[in-house]
Amino acid sequence: MYGLEDIKPKTGTMLKSVCYKRVSTPNQALTGHSLEVQDQLFQNFVSQNNITILKVFEDSGRSARDLDRPDMEELLDYCDDNAATVDLVLVQDSSRLARNVADHLTVKAFLKKRNIKLIPLDGSYYGDTDEGDFLDVIVAAVNQLESRRTGKKTKRIMKALAEKGMKPGKSPLGFCNSFQKDKPIYPDPERKHFIYKAYEMWISGNHTVYSITNILYEQGLRNTSGGKVNKNTMTNILKNILYCGGLSYDGVIYEKAAHEPIVPVDWYKKSLLMFEKRNKGANRTRKYTTLLAGYAHCLKCGSLMAAEYHPKGNYFRCKTCEKTYVSLEKADKRVSAFFHGTVFTEKALNNLRNVLLEVKQEQGTSVPEQLKTLRQRRDILDKKMKVLEDKMFGGDELVESERIKARYQPLKEELKQVDAQIIEMDKPSTNLKDSEIEKVIQGMKNIGELYDAMTKVQQKQFLRFFISKAFLEKERTITSFEFVPEFEALVSRNLVRIRSNWLRR
Ligand SMILES: [Zn+2]
């Protein structure tokens, strides 16, 4: 009747079950009658069918409101954790388990995914074939239940860990995750002495965070992807109580955590004081318009380059091949040289006026659209990463952790890129107005000087009517531009001449 004879135990020779019992009213629980009946039912069933009971979950005498997160949740957690062992879930009848059919099927599908059979003992067992189609319809519901559950469960586990003095989640640089339940993080043998040095240098007052990252890089400190530890990460290291043996989670600070500290507590306190001291008076915010941000590409590998701002000079750097560094200032000068070498014919100026008007119209619509798309992409990435993070740090599926990490890394990279694009596009609009376009046309006759007379922000705005990409190289700074189609059309029809002192590809 239950098809039990077709099931092979996952482990050992006997089928293993968990039981769930529940009483509908507190009264029934008080008399104990109903629960006893259910116990008896389970006992009879397992002895007749040669089944072991691993655990019994019981929601007894609770108010209806409490039943929102009763033992049911724990039962699902248990089945999730022990999916490799549990063969069956036994309930007196389906109504014990869930309040409606949809919930019932959802729970059943959740169990089915873990290859666990749900057996209601009242005979209302319907085989796996009939509701196959129906299961499809409620896959969405299952996913919702699962994600909600995973999130809650992870949070619960993490909070419990923090209370025990265990750092929940991924360990920061300098520590390693033990990847074992109830084991704290431990100092990374390869990196802990770098952390020690970083604190030592910082509290001495003789170094900036930036210089510390450089010195330690030279001495061999690498981040988890093998690169240089950046300034933000270093700042976080120097401000994190974790390194002196404390723990901060969810707004609560635990001064004495279970892991081994890397630096003494008074070093940590001195480090915080040093940040306060340095921040006073040093509150200059960088105001620098990066002309070629979003345009600069590495000639060697084609990647979009990132601008970096250092006390000694500002550079575009290729983070992909690591081979190309170009000074921002030099690159900007090359752009100016390009415009000085560009001559428009009368016919071209008329054409250009039309092009500018068209592009202006397009600006109004395309940016918000692109932003919307980028934001949607970011949300998707965020969700995917959360799911993987839950898997990595929820304490489950240890075996799979390497595979999960491999899936996680590319998402992280993409998120970084998407974020950068959003920041770039999200800046206040500086779209050209009609009157400004006329001025531009007049100035076109001497476009180089016109360009030089503009502010950086205007130059940047101007640039996008001409250029879609700039290719950078260490020796020659900018080797070539990729033009926007409208401008390319003018150039190819000889309406614009570009002097040979500015090499094109
Ligand atoms: Zn490159």
Side-chain angles (χ1 to χ4, degrees), residues 151-415:
K152 263 199 234 160
K153 185 181 163 193
T154 307
K155 185 104 203 210
R156 231 161 50 217
I157 291 172
M158 291 205 168
K159 197 154 176 272
L161 280 176
E163 280 161 5
K164 276 194 267 176
M166 311 277 185
K167 162 86 175 77
K170 187 176 182 295
S171 66
L173 203 81
F175 285 103
C176 295
N177 279 99
S178 72
F179 285 109
Q180 287 170 45
K181 273 187 182 171
D182 292 352
K183 284 261 172 68
I185 54 167
Y186 58 93
D188 182 349
E190 312 251 293
R191 295 195 180 92
K192 62 178 181 186
H193 65 283
F194 289 119
I195 304 293
Y196 189 87
K197 268 192 182 162
Y199 268 86
E200 195 176 38
M201 285 191 272
W202 176 242
I203 61 179
S204 78
N206 298 327
H207 297 270
T208 63
V209 176
Y210 179 67
S211 71
I212 291 171
T213 64
N214 281 336
I215 292 167
L216 293 181
Y217 181 74
E218 279 163 21
Q219 296 183 356
L221 175 62
R222 297 290 180 271
N223 61 26
T224 44
S225 31
K228 189 168 128 181
V229 174
N230 67 33
K231 209 175 117 183
N232 283 347
T233 309
M234 188 54 74
T235 304
N236 290 338
I237 289 172
L238 294 168
K239 284 182 174 178
N240 193 339
I241 192 171
L242 204 71
Y243 293 93
C244 70
L247 172 56
S248 163
Y249 183 74
D250 215 12
V252 186
I253 291 168
Y254 306 86
E255 297 215 332
K256 196 93 192 70
H259 64 268
E260 188 191 325
I262 298 179
V263 299
V265 177
D266 63 312
W267 282 26
Y268 168 71
K269 286 179 181 161
K270 278 182 192 162
S271 174
L272 292 187
L273 285 175
M274 187 59 72
F275 276 106
E276 267 178 41
K277 206 171 134 191
R278 290 277 171 104
N279 278 341
K280 272 180 208 159
N283 209 358
R284 298 166 250 118
T285 46
R286 190 203 318 134
K287 265 253 177 261
Y288 190 92
T289 305
T290 311
L291 185 69
L292 289 175
Y295 293 99
H297 287 71
C298 170
L299 181 71
K300 276 214 175 68
C301 73
S303 312
L304 188 65
M305 297 174 84
E308 293 188 350
Y309 309 89
H310 300 161
K312 282 181 189 165
N314 303 327
Y315 289 89
F316 273 115
R317 186 163 82 89
C318 178
K319 287 187 171 168
T320 309
C321 71
E322 304 258 341
K323 291 215 168 95
T324 308
Y325 286 82
V326 169
S327 132
L328 294 191
E329 205 187 330
K330 271 191 185 171
D332 289 2
K333 277 186 183 156
R334 288 289 285 160
V335 177
S336 168
F338 164 75
F339 282 112
H340 279 274
T342 302
V343 179
F344 285 79
T345 63
E346 273 303 319
K347 203 177 164 196
L349 291 177
N350 280 330
N351 285 352
L352 185 66
R353 180 184 288 110
N354 295 331
V355 169
L356 291 184
L357 288 167
E358 269 174 38
V359 175
K360 186 190 77 95
Q361 272 182 332
E362 216 176 88
Q363 276 182 349
T365 53
S366 67
V367 170
E369 273 307 305
Q370 286 177 52
L371 257 179
K372 200 176 139 196
T373 313
L374 284 171
R375 290 209 177 100
Q376 281 168 350
R377 182 67 195 151
R378 183 171 62 183
D379 289 348
I380 291 167
L381 287 169
D382 208 48
K383 265 184 207 147
K384 282 188 180 172
M385 285 168 74
K386 281 219 173 76
V387 171
L388 291 178
E389 277 164 10
D390 284 348
K391 283 189 178 167
M392 281 193 285
F393 310 121
D396 293 344
E397 303 186 55
L398 294 175
V399 202
E400 285 193 302
S401 72
E402 279 308 319
R403 206 170 55 83
I404 291 165
K405 270 191 242 167
R407 277 162 59 199
Y408 185 76
Q409 199 53 33
L411 296 179
K412 202 171 137 188
E413 289 299 319
E414 192 185 340
L415 184 71

